[in-house]
């Protein structure tokens, strides 16, 4: 994972009065870790402290609202009143205690802030609603009200300075208020603020005045908006070139807006570091320049800095997945990779603290890691999918003697099949990391080793972990046993060429992903699903490219809110509403109707009565996501440690499902 020297990103950097110990910045990232009123929590302090301890030079909190009507998330951090100062001071102290600098991004949501969240009618340069955020019509700010907002930015900067914040970044990107004034699609004014840079310049002046010269002040920008009629890269550069750069200490380049969200949070199928070419021209303006955008490996970060495209790199999801990424890559050590699944970002709208698919500790740092066990135990893990691999890794990391048995010839389970799809090119990285970690920890993983009830007697162990995954659910209907009816996972495992035509029955995430794979390989695809929309079990960001691409393909036909009620060799009986119709259907019928736990070994495991219990994890226990796999693995580790310390066996008796 770290095969090249990373000398450039390890060198210090000066941003005005602030000196960074390296070029790796923990970027602003909304997390839902505050109270409803925007107050900092113990969870937030522990989270940012952990990123600082991991070696980042500068740790930002998140886009923080400077006034209540600019609040865009239920648990977003506020810097809108003096009551926020003690919480900011706690964050600053915690981050600085770990050797990093602490930064806050000043923001107002403008048209993106919806009344259902903020409690206020949204305000904006012009009454242009933001449909992706909810579509509420904003009030157009009067001229004097714009000046009031300028003062709100300045007051927020003063609070941050009083709290001991080292770095302030004015959020001028991603379609928020400053960006709205810059955009020809959002600023339709005829007063002095028709000048797109007028509001930005006043905000920069107000923030600098209140922050003073001992706090670094920068500006985050979108290199382009990403939709027709929005700001182009050339026009954005022209506007920023004429701004009050003399009052700034750095620029930080991102991209996109709410109407082009794929440029804000880039999908995994896009190139790493793809925004670096857009950041490079800004270096000619004489300020240090940072850049964000799919910088998830030391190689991509080093290439950007050493190649002179930017002076520092801003990473959010990368450090969410592994807070020790900076320390590890600078030391040439392996790190836990972000797989760009966007599970974190897609959970923002829930109002609940955002998790990480591959790091169950993210957002739970305040609880502490599983404690060290009182003694070492022997554990047999049956199944080497993500849940089995992670359970084995955690247990071995605590010194337990662990062995893994897998019936397939490879590790990864059905997740390894997903890793082979065009939509998920980064998925393989987490499997490779898990396998490498088990090798480092000395865990024996035996593939091609089926386990039956009678073979369990050969293993005298203290605990058994059943991680045998799940199998396709096949509804009972006429023709379901015909030979052309195949589970989508079985079809992927066969590795056969795409057929000329086929039917995918099921519009869940697996069905949509496989339909996309087939369509891209040239198949004519009929996609039938009971769901009201494509892949409703996947968040908007995770399917922001795949679903539009599928729908735009003329060789794809989609029938939603429909059910297959009978199967024949060359046609299907499909019910839509109260109407049934025979639909021509040549080629294989690939079924994606959910997964049922594979627990055939559970009784045999229970019969062994290992002293520390039997544990069922992942799909075998009904878990439906990668996040579930990693969380249940951690739960097993905690439970075994508690049992060794003299606690009770897990709830559920001799076999506990996590």
């Amino acid at each position: 994972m770290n095969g090249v020297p990373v000398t450039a990103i390890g060198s210090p950097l000066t941003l005005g009065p602030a000196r960074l110990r390296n070029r790796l910045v923990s970027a602003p990232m909304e997390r839902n870790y505050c109270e409803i009123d925007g107050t900092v929590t113990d969870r937030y302090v522990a989270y940012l402290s952990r990123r600082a301890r991991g070696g980042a030079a500068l740790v930002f909190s998140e886009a923080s609202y400077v006034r209540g009507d600019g609040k865009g998330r239920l648990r977003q951090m506020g810097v809108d009143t003096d009551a926020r100062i003690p919480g900011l001071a706690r964050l600053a102290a915690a981050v600085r205690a770990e050797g990093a600098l602490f930064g806050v991004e000043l923001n107002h949501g403008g048209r993106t802030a919806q009344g259902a969240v903020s409690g206020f009618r949204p305000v904006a340069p012009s009454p242009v609603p933001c449909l992706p955020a909810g579509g509420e019509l904003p009030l157009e700010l009067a001229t004097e009200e714009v000046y009031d907002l300028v003062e709100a930015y300045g007051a927020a900067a003063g609070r941050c300075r009083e709290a001991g914040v080292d770095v302030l970044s004015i959020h001028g990107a991603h379609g928020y208020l400053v960006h709205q004034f810059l955009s020809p699609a959002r600023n339709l004014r005829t007063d002095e603020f028709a000048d797109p840079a007028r509001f930005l310049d006043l905000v920069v002046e107000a923030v600098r005045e209140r922050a003073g010269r001992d706090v670094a002040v920068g500006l985050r920008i979108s290199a382009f908006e990403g939709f027709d009629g929005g700001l182009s890269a050339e026009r954005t550069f022209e506007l920023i070139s004429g701004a009050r750069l003399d009052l700034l200490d750095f620029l930080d380049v991102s991209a996109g807006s709410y109407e082009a969200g794929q440029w804000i949070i880039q999908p995994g199928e896009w190139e790493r570091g793809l925004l670096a070419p857009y950041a490079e021209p800004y270096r000619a303006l004489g300020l240090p320049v940072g850049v964000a955008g799919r910088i998830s490996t030391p190689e991509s970060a080093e290439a950007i800095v050493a190649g002179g495209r930017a002076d520092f790199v801003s990473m959010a999801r990368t450090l969410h997945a592994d807070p020790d990424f900076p320390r590890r890559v600078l030391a040439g050590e392996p790190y836990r990779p972000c797989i760009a699944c966007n599970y974190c970002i897609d959970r923002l709208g829930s109002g609940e603290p955002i998790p990480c698919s591959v790091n169950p500790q993210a957002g739970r740092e305040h609880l502490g890691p599983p404690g060290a066990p009182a003694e070492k135990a022997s554990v047999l893990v049956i199944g080497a999918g993500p849940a089995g691999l992670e359970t084995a890794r955690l247990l071995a990391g605590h010194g337990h003697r662990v062995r893994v048995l897998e019936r397939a010839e490879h590790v990864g389970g059905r997740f390894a099949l997903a890793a082979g799809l065009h939509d998920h090119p980064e998925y393989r990285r987490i499997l490779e990391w898990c396998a490498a970690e088990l090798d480092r920890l000395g865990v024996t993983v035996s593939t091609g080793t089926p386990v039956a009830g009678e073979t369990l007697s050969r293993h005298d162990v203290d605990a058994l972990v059943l991680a045998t995954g799940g199998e396709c659910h096949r509804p009972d209907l006429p023709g379901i046993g015909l030979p052309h009816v195949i589970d989508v996972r079985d079809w992927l495992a066969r590795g056969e060429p795409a057929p000329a035509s086929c039917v995918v029955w099921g519009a869940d995430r697996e069905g949509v992903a496989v339909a996309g794979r087939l369509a891209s390989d040239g198949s004519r695809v009929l996609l039938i699903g009971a769901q009201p929309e494509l892949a409703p079990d996947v968040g908007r960001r995770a399917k922001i490219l795949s679903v539009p691409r599928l729908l735009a393909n003329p060789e794809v036909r989609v029938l939603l809110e429909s059910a297959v009620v009978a199967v024949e060799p060359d046609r299907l009986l499909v019910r839509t509403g109260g109407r049934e119709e025979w639909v021509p259907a040549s080629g294989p019928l690939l079924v994606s109707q959910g997964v049922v736990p594979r627990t055939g070994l559970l009784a045999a495991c229970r019969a062994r009565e290992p002293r520390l219990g039997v544990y069922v994890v992942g799909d075998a226990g009904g878990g439906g996501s990668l996040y579930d796999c990693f969380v249940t693995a951690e739960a097993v580790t905690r439970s075994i440690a508690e049992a060794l310390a003299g606690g009770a066996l897990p709830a559920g008796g001799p076999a506990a499902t996590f």
Side-chain angles (χ1 to χ4, degrees):
M1 279 189 184
N2 190 2
V4 299
V6 287
T7 55
I9 59 175
S11 62
L13 175 68
T14 298
L15 305 178
R19 186 177 188 274
L20 279 60
R21 58 185 172 183
N22 57 55
R23 308 298 183 95
L24 304 175
V25 171
S26 179
M29 178 180 179
E30 293 180 44
R31 305 174 178 97
N32 287 337
Y33 292 171
C34 287
E35 301 288 2
I36 295 292
D37 67 355
T39 301
V40 168
T41 61
D42 291 345
R43 181 194 301 268
Y44 211 152
V45 173
Y47 178 92
L48 292 190
S49 175
R50 185 67 186 84
R51 270 72 203 158
R53 192 182 322 138
L58 168 60
V59 176
F60 277 100
S61 51
E62 62 183 77
S64 304
Y65 57 92
V66 300
R67 204 171 75 176
D69 56 358
K71 179 180 180 180
R73 302 288 182 188
L74 195 62
R75 295 183 180 274
Q76 188 176 359
M77 193 172 100
V79 288
D80 56 323
T81 72
D82 289 352
R84 309 287 178 242
I85 295 174
L88 287 168
R90 287 183 64 202
L91 289 175
V95 168
R96 295 178 77 172
E98 299 293 348
L101 302 181
F102 175 54
V104 171
E105 186 174 55
L106 303 178
N107 189 44
H108 188 289
R111 64 192 281 270
T112 71
Q114 305 293 285
V117 172
S118 70
F120 298 92
R121 177 85 175 268
V123 296
S126 302
V128 181
C130 181
L131 298 181
E136 187 174 357
L137 184 68
L139 294 170
E140 180 173 311
L141 289 158
T143 302
E144 62 273 16
E145 291 173 329
V146 179
Y147 279 96
D148 290 341
L149 268 169
V150 170
E151 171 55 27
Y153 276 88
R159 295 182 192 107
C160 290
R161 176 180 178 171
E162 183 175 342
V165 174
D166 300 292
V167 179
L168 289 172
S169 180
I170 299 165
H171 204 336
H174 299 167
Y176 296 118
L177 186 62
V178 172
H179 202 197
Q180 291 162 29
F181 273 96
L182 291 170
S183 172
R186 312 301 175 214
N187 184 351
L188 311 178
R189 302 177 70 93
T190 58
D191 64 358
E192 65 180 289
F193 292 102
D195 175 353
R198 176 66 173 154
F199 182 67
L200 169 61
D201 285 345
L202 290 177
V203 168
V204 170
E205 291 169 4
V207 169
R208 173 53 76 191
E209 180 182 358
R210 298 293 289 272
R213 282 291 177 181
D214 55 348
V215 175
V217 175
L219 173 65
R220 193 168 215 204
I221 63 170
S222 281
F224 50 84
E225 286 196 89
F227 61 86
D228 290 342
L231 282 168
S232 66
E234 295 76 16
R235 178 56 176 156
T236 301
F237 184 80
E238 179 183 349
L239 288 171
I240 300 305
S241 298
R244 290 300 308 273
L245 301 183
D246 57 307
L247 300 180
L248 296 175
D249 297 308
F250 65 92
L251 297 171
D252 193 9
V253 179
S254 183
S257 63
Y258 269 55
E259 284 75 15
Q262 68 273 23
W263 286 106
I264 301 175
I265 309 294
Q266 301 83 11
E269 61 186 84
W270 282 4
E271 178 188 3
R272 296 178 191 140
L274 76 169
L275 297 181
Y278 297 96
E280 186 173 2
Y282 287 91
R283 298 194 73 210
L285 301 180
L287 294 174
V289 173
V291 68
R294 287 274 290 127
I295 304 170
S296 57
T297 66
E299 292 84 0
S300 57
E302 180 71 11
I304 289 169
V305 176
R309 293 194 150 183
D311 298 284
F312 64 91
V313 292
S314 294
M315 299 177 293
R317 291 174 293 174
T318 298
L319 301 193
H320 192 59
D322 190 347
D324 290 315
F325 178 89
R327 177 185 61 78
R328 285 174 168 156
V329 301
L330 294 177
E333 299 173 357
Y335 58 92
R336 184 196 305 253
C338 168
I339 60 172
C341 64
N342 285 339
Y343 182 65
C344 52
I345 303 305
D346 276 330
R347 288 291 296 273
L348 265 179
S350 71
E352 296 301 314
I354 67 166
C356 174
S357 283
V358 299
N359 179 11
Q361 276 288 299
R364 301 166 68 219
E365 291 84 0
H366 61 301
L367 303 176
E375 61 177 283
K376 310 306 180 187
S378 59
V379 183
L380 179 65
V381 178
I382 306 171
L389 293 174
E390 178 67 357
T391 303
R393 186 191 71 83
L394 288 173
L395 290 170
H398 281 76
H400 298 301
R401 301 177 300 279
V402 184
R403 184 174 183 187
V404 181
L405 304 180
E406 167 58 50
R407 65 174 184 167
E409 296 295 336
H410 61 84
V411 302
R414 68 187 183 97
F415 188 76
L417 300 175
L421 296 175
H422 176 268
D423 297 355
H424 312 307
E426 299 279 30
Y427 281 16
R428 60 174 177 77
R429 299 182 67 211
I430 194 64
L431 295 178
E432 291 170 353
W433 177 77
C434 284
E437 283 292 284
L438 292 184
D439 185 61
R440 180 182 66 84
L441 292 166
V443 175
T444 299
V445 179
S446 302
T447 57
T449 308
V451 178
E454 59 272 14
T455 62
L456 286 175
S457 61
R458 304 173 194 164
H459 303 278
D460 184 16
V461 293
D462 299 309
L464 284 164
V465 178
L466 197 64
T468 46
E471 51 197 18
C472 174
H473 170 61
R474 288 201 177 197
D476 185 14
L477 52 85
I480 195 67
L482 289 171
H484 73 295
V485 181
I486 311 165
D487 175 33
V488 291
R489 299 158 192 83
D490 292 339
W491 181 81
L492 285 174
R494 292 180 184 181
E496 296 176 354
S501 61
C502 68
V503 179
V504 176
W505 176 23
D508 57 1
R509 60 183 175 184
E510 288 86 359
V512 169
V514 172
R517 160 76 174 273
L518 288 162
S520 66
D521 287 349
S523 295
R524 293 187 304 277
V525 179
L526 171 60
L527 176 60
I528 303 171
Q531 297 83 349
E533 62 177 294
L534 293 177
D537 49 343
V538 173
R540 183 172 68 92
R541 301 283 190 181
K543 57 185 179 184
I544 199 166
L545 294 184
S546 59
V547 166
R549 183 168 56 222
L550 188 68
L551 293 174
N553 191 317
E555 297 298 320
V556 175
R557 180 187 177 194
V558 177
L559 297 177
L560 294 176
E561 298 184 280
S562 301
V564 175
V565 295
V567 180
E568 292 187 358
D570 56 359
R571 64 178 187 165
L572 303 171
L573 186 59
V574 178
R575 179 185 297 127
T576 304
R579 178 170 166 267
E580 292 186 355
E581 177 185 6
W582 283 101
V583 176
S586 59
L589 171 60
L590 307 183
V591 180
S592 185
Q593 293 294 307
V595 174
V596 294
R598 186 183 290 118
T599 56
L601 283 174
L602 183 55
C605 289
R606 283 174 169 158
R608 295 291 301 159
E609 296 184 347
R611 70 183 182 98
L612 297 179
V614 176
Y615 304 83
V616 188
V617 298
D619 278 345
S625 70
L626 184 63
Y627 174 69
D628 293 329
C629 290
F630 277 73
V631 167
T632 56
E634 185 183 73
V636 169
T637 305
R638 290 183 185 273
S639 187
I640 287 178
E642 291 167 1
L644 286 168
L649 286 174
T657 298
F658 289 91

